[in-house]
Amino acid sequence: MMNEASLGYPYDPRRPASLKWSTWYFTVLKLAVGLLLVLLIALLWLLQRSEIEEQRSTLIADVLWLEQSLRFHLEGNSDQLQQLALDLTRERRPAETFDLRARHILRNSPELRQVLWLDASGRALHGMPTQTLPRTGNVATGENPVARSIELTRLGKPIYSDAFRTIEAAQFEVYVPIFDDGQYLGTLIGVYSLNGLLKHQVPWWFAEKYQVRVVDGNGSLLASKSRIDASPTTLSHPVVLEPPGYGIVLQVTAYRGADNLPQTLIATLIVLLSAAVFWSLWAVRGLIQRRLSAEQALRSEYAFRKAMEDSLMVGMRARDLDGRVTYVNPAFLHMVGFAAEELIGKEPPMPYWAPEEMDRTLLLHNSVLAGNAPNEGFEIRLMRKDGSRFDALIYEAPLIDADGRQKGWMGSIIDVTARKHAEELARQQQEKLQVTARLVTMGEMASTLAHELNQPLAAITSYNTGCINKLESGRYDPGQLREALGKLAIQAQRAGHIIRRVHDFVRRREPKLVACDLAEVVDDSIGFIEGAAKNRGVRIVREIQGMRPELIADPVMLEQVLLNLMRNGIEAMSETPTERRRLTVKLAQVDDQMEVRVVDQGTGIPPEVGDKLFTPLFSTKADGMGMGLNICRSIIELHHGRLWVEANPAGGTVFAFTLPVERR
C-alpha cells in the first residue's frame, strides 16, 4: 500500500531512520567517488601538461640547433665565395679558376643553384651553370634589386638579398665583392634555393619529428619540408633566419606523435571504474527509492494533468484504434452535457451525434480511424444531452504511447456556435449596410431617374391621347393605330426596364454569383449615372477591350462599386473647368485578372487622406457617412479581388480594382 510519503506529501520527521541514513550514506559515497575521479583527472592533466612542456623544450632546442646549423653552412659557403673572389685577382687564368672552383662549390652545396661572376659594371662575365641573371629589374617602377645589392657590396662585405619567387621555387642571393688593392673589380653572386636548402641541410631525423617551413615577413610560405603521412600539432616555434634576414622566419611545428598507450589505457580504466562505481551506487539507491520515486512521479503527473484538464476550455476526447472512447476531459463533458461514465467505453454511434448528421459523422469517424484526418480540422454539428445542437470544430491527432506505438486518436473539440452566429450577424449587417448604401445612391440619383422615367411616360401619354382622338373622330387607319400602339408598348417596356433595374439594384437579397460580362456591368452602371453626369457637365468615356472572358461574380454588387466610384469621380470634378470634366472608365485584362480603372480629372486626394479613405466612418464630404469606399472594398474582397487608389499623372485620382478570371 502507498503511505503518505510515497504519495508525495511534504517531509515527515517520522520517516524511518534507516531511510534517512541510507540517503546520507549514498550521498557521501557519491561525493567521495566524485572527488577521487576529479583528483585522478587533475593528475592526468598535470602529467599531460608536463609532457607538453618537455616536448616544447625539446622543440626549442632542436629549432635553435637547426638555425645554427643553417647559419654555419651559409657562412661557410660565403667564405668559399670570398676565397674564390680573392683567387680571381691573383690567378693568371681567372676564367679557368672560376669554372673549376664554381663547379666544386655547386657540387658540395646542392642548395646553390647558380654562381655568377659580374664585372664592375654589373655585366655577367662567367656563370655556372648559366650566365643568366636570376632576376632583372622592374621597368615600370625603375627598381633593380641586383644593381642595388651590387652597390651595397662596394662597402666591402658580403650582402644577402631578400627572398623572391621564381616559377620553380623561392630563392635568395649572396653577393661577394671582388677587390684588388682596394679597387672594386666586380661581384660574385651565389643563388640559393630555399627548398634545396631545407632538403639538403635538414637531417632526416629532424624531418621525421617536425614540419619545417620558411615564411616571409607577411607570413607567406616560401619553402617547406614535411612528411605526407603525419599531421602537425599546435606546438610550434619560430626563429628568425639570419642570414639572409629581411624578415625570413624559420617555423618548426611538431608532428602529432603516437599516443601514450599505457597512459591512455590507465585513464580509460579509471574512467570506466568510476563509471561502474557510480552506476552501482545509482542502482542500489534505485532499489531503495524506486517505489517512492515512482509513486511521487505518478502523483505529480496526475496532479499536473488534472489541473491542466480542469483549466482547459477546449474539449479533449481520446479514442482507441477501434473507435471506443477512452478519455474525455471536463470541458468536453460540459460541452455535450453527458457524464464521463456515459461515454467511456462507448462505441459508435455516439450519444452526442446528431441524427440528421449521422451519415456524415460516421463517414468522418471512419476517415479519422483510417488515418485520413484533415490537418486543418473539420466542422460538424453535434447534439447535447438535452437535444440542443451546437457546431464544433474538431482536430484529430495520433495518440502515441511511451513505446512509440499508436494506440488511438486524440481529438480537440472547439464549440464554434457563437463564432458562426457572430459571423452570420456580421454578414447580415454588411448586407444591410450594402442595401442602405444602394438606397442612398438611388436617393441621390432620384432626380435623374425621375427624368429618365418622365420621357417614356410622356411618350406613352402622347401616343394614348392620339389613339383616343383617332377613335373618337371615327376616321382612322388600323395600321396607324397598330403602329402607335406598338410605339406605346416600346415606351412602356422602357419605363418598366428602368423600374426593374432600380428594383434589382436596391432590393435586399443574398449574393448571387453568376457568369457575367464585366463590360455589360460597366454599361449598366454608366446608364444609371449618365444623367447625373450630364447635369454636372461631365462626359463619361468608355475604354473597353474587345475580347473579354466571363467572370463568376454578382453583377448588382459590382454595379454598386462602379456607381460609388463614378459618383465620387463626378463630384471630385465640381471645380474643374467644364472642358476638362471627363470621367474615363477603362476595362482590360491583365494576366489572369480583369482590371477596371475609374479615372477623373478632379482636385486629387492629399497623401495624408489617402491612407484613411477605406477606413469606416471616414469621409471627405460634409454630409458623407464614410462607409461607401469601405463597402466597395468589402465587395471586391468578397470576389477575391483588390481595390486601391492612386494619383492620376494628368491631375485627379484613379480608383482601380481587379477581379480574378476563373476558367471553367
Side-chain angles (χ1 to χ4, degrees):
M1 295 179 62
M2 292 187 291
N3 53 29
E4 291 184 347
S6 65
L7 291 176
Y9 288 112
Y11 172 75
D12 186 356
R14 294 174 294 178
R15 292 175 65 187
S18 59
L19 186 58
K20 301 178 186 177
W21 175 85
S22 63
T23 303
W24 174 84
Y25 175 74
F26 284 114
T27 302
V28 172
L29 279 180
K30 287 188 289 183
L31 290 177
V33 174
L35 180 60
L36 176 61
L37 181 61
V38 170
L39 291 176
L40 290 175
I41 293 175
L43 177 61
L44 292 176
W45 181 79
L46 291 175
L47 290 175
Q48 186 181 14
R49 294 297 302 173
S50 176
E51 184 180 351
I52 292 175
E53 290 300 324
E54 182 180 355
Q55 187 179 4
R56 184 182 298 277
S57 300
T58 303
L59 170 65
I60 293 174
D62 289 343
V63 172
L64 293 178
W65 174 85
L66 179 62
E67 186 271 336
Q68 187 179 27
S69 176
L70 293 176
R71 178 160 50 84
F72 285 165
H73 184 76
L74 293 176
E75 290 177 353
N77 288 342
S78 177
D79 292 342
Q80 292 187 54
L81 291 175
Q82 291 184 62
Q83 184 62 44
L84 176 59
L86 183 61
D87 293 343
L88 290 177
T89 62
R90 297 175 180 175
E91 298 292 336
R92 294 181 178 180
R93 295 179 179 178
E96 295 179 2
T97 300
F98 174 82
D99 290 343
L100 181 63
R101 296 285 297 279
R103 185 176 292 107
H104 175 76
I105 292 173
L106 291 175
R107 185 169 56 252
N108 292 331
S109 300
E111 67 276 2
L112 275 172
R113 300 175 58 88
Q114 188 181 18
V115 178
L116 290 170
W117 177 12
L118 307 183
D119 60 13
S121 62
R123 183 172 56 87
L125 298 177
H126 294 279
M128 185 66 66
T130 65
Q131 291 185 216
T132 305
L133 289 175
R135 52 177 171 170
T136 58
N138 191 328
V139 178
T141 61
E143 295 182 358
N144 191 333
V146 176
R148 185 174 67 251
S149 299
I150 292 174
E151 286 296 324
L152 294 175
T153 59
R154 292 177 181 271
L155 299 176
K157 293 183 180 181
I159 298 297
Y160 285 88
S161 73
D162 57 344
F164 61 94
R165 299 180 186 273
T166 64
I167 298 177
E168 298 177 356
Q171 302 178 160
F172 68 93
E173 305 152 344
V174 58
Y175 293 80
V176 178
I178 304 174
F179 284 94
D180 186 15
D181 294 333
Q183 182 181 1
Y184 173 72
L185 299 180
T187 305
L188 289 177
I189 302 178
V191 181
Y192 283 94
S193 168
L194 278 171
N195 277 328
L197 184 65
L198 296 183
K199 177 180 178 182
H200 297 286
Q201 297 304 318
V202 176
W204 65 268
W205 59 267
F206 198 96
E208 285 293 319
K209 293 174 59 178
Y210 306 110
Q211 179 192 61
V212 183
R213 303 169 73 242
V214 178
V215 298
D216 59 14
N218 297 324
S220 301
L221 179 65
L222 298 176
S224 67
K225 184 174 183 180
S226 60
R227 289 169 51 194
I228 299 177
D229 60 343
S231 58
T233 64
T234 58
L235 192 61
S236 178
H237 184 72
V239 62
V240 177
L241 192 60
E242 292 281 358
Y246 298 99
I248 297 179
V249 176
L250 181 67
Q251 190 176 63
V252 180
T253 304
Y255 287 127
R256 193 179 305 279
D259 294 335
N260 191 337
L261 183 59
Q263 182 178 341
T264 304
L265 183 59
I266 291 173
T268 304
L269 290 176
I270 290 173
V271 172
L272 291 177
L273 181 60
S274 301
V277 173
F278 267 112
W279 180 83
S280 300
L281 291 174
W282 187 264
V284 173
R285 177 181 180 273
L287 291 175
I288 297 175
Q289 296 184 341
R290 181 171 299 172
R291 181 180 177 185
L292 298 177
S293 299
E295 292 176 354
Q296 175 65 20
L298 180 61
R299 180 179 175 83
S300 299
E301 183 67 23
Y302 176 78
F304 175 79
R305 178 177 171 180
K306 188 68 170 62
M308 182 176 64
E309 292 174 359
D310 294 342
S311 65
L312 281 178
M313 300 300 294
V314 176
M316 304 294 293
R317 175 205 58 195
R319 293 177 292 177
D320 61 16
L321 296 176
D322 295 327
R324 284 187 296 268
V325 176
T326 58
Y327 162 79
V328 286
N329 73 337
F332 181 73
L333 296 176
H334 177 74
M335 195 178 297
V336 297
F338 289 93
E341 54 271 15
E342 295 179 275
L343 299 179
I344 300 298
K346 196 72 174 176
E347 294 182 350
M350 301 300 175
Y352 50 82
W353 287 5
E356 67 274 12
E357 295 277 340
M358 187 65 67
D359 293 340
R360 179 171 176 267
T361 306
L362 185 60
L363 182 64
L364 289 172
H365 171 84
N366 295 332
S367 178
V368 170
L369 294 185
N372 299 323
N375 295 330
E376 66 277 8
F378 56 88
E379 287 190 12
I380 195 169
R381 175 154 293 186
L382 299 178
M383 180 178 66
R384 297 185 178 91
K385 188 175 182 179
D386 60 6
S388 60
R389 271 59 169 174
F390 68 97
D391 295 312
L393 176 62
I394 302 178
Y395 297 92
E396 296 281 358
L399 188 59
I400 309 299
D401 63 10
D403 297 326
R405 296 189 300 266
Q406 182 178 354
K407 64 175 185 179
W409 296 89
M410 176 62 74
S412 301
I413 299 94
I414 304 173
D415 187 349
V416 295
T417 307
R419 189 194 72 185
K420 295 188 70 173
H421 181 65
E423 291 176 351
E424 178 63 21
L425 287 178
R427 188 191 64 79
Q428 293 176 2
Q429 293 295 331
Q430 182 72 11
E431 183 181 337
K432 291 178 180 178
L433 196 58
Q434 292 176 9
V435 173
T436 302
R438 291 198 290 268
L439 289 173
V440 171
T441 301
M442 288 296 99
E444 294 175 349
M445 298 172 59
S447 60
T448 302
L449 293 173
H451 178 71
E452 290 188 11
L453 282 173
N454 188 50
Q455 291 180 353
L457 292 177
I460 290 172
T461 302
S462 176
Y463 287 129
N464 182 63
T465 303
C467 290
I468 291 174
N469 292 335
K470 286 286 187 181
L471 290 172
E472 290 178 350
S473 65
R475 298 186 302 275
Y476 59 89
D477 184 1
Q480 291 180 343
L481 288 178
R482 187 179 299 106
E483 180 181 359
L485 291 174
K487 292 181 179 180
L488 186 148
I490 291 174
Q491 295 299 324
Q493 291 176 357
R494 178 184 173 190
H497 177 70
I498 294 173
I499 294 173
R500 184 168 57 256
R501 188 169 62 181
V502 173
H503 178 263
D504 289 341
F505 186 75
V506 299
R507 70 190 176 99
R508 180 180 178 182
R509 59 182 183 80
E510 295 289 333
K512 186 177 181 181
L513 300 179
V514 296
C516 64
D517 186 353
L518 201 53
E520 294 180 1
V521 176
V522 172
D523 289 339
D524 289 343
S525 302
I526 293 176
F528 262 129
I529 205 167
E530 195 167 21
K534 290 180 180 179
N535 293 338
R536 292 175 175 262
V538 176
R539 182 166 55 95
I540 300 179
V541 179
R542 299 166 64 257
E543 294 183 7
I544 299 177
Q545 71 176 23
M547 298 298 295
R548 300 175 302 276
E550 286 188 338
L551 296 179
I552 304 300
D554 188 318
V556 175
M557 286 187 171
L558 297 184
E559 283 184 16
Q560 181 178 356
V561 174
L562 282 168
L563 281 174
N564 201 321
L565 297 181
M566 288 190 292
R567 183 161 51 85
N568 288 344
I570 292 170
E571 293 175 354
M573 291 187 287
S574 59
E575 299 180 2
T576 303
T578 305
E579 64 274 7
R580 293 187 66 247
R581 294 183 184 178
R582 184 178 66 181
L583 183 71
T584 305
V585 181
K586 300 180 180 180
L587 172 62
Q589 183 174 359
V590 179
D591 297 331
D592 59 346
Q593 294 184 326
M594 296 300 294
E595 183 181 78
V596 178
R597 302 175 69 86
V598 179
V599 185
D600 67 58
Q601 296 184 351
T603 56
I605 299 174
E608 63 274 9
V609 176
D611 298 335
K612 306 176 184 178
L613 278 179
F614 299 99
T615 304
L617 304 180
F618 176 81
S619 176
T620 58
K621 307 174 185 176
D623 55 349
M625 294 190 303
M627 295 302 295
L629 290 177
N630 180 260
I631 293 174
C632 291
R633 172 169 282 186
S634 299
I635 292 174
I636 296 300
E637 290 177 351
L638 176 66
H639 289 77
H640 306 289
R642 186 170 70 94
L643 171 65
W644 72 94
V645 62
E646 59 188 45
N648 183 7
T653 306
V654 179
F655 281 92
F657 65 86
T658 56
L659 296 172
V661 177
E662 296 184 12
R663 303 292 182 186
R664 296 182 298 165

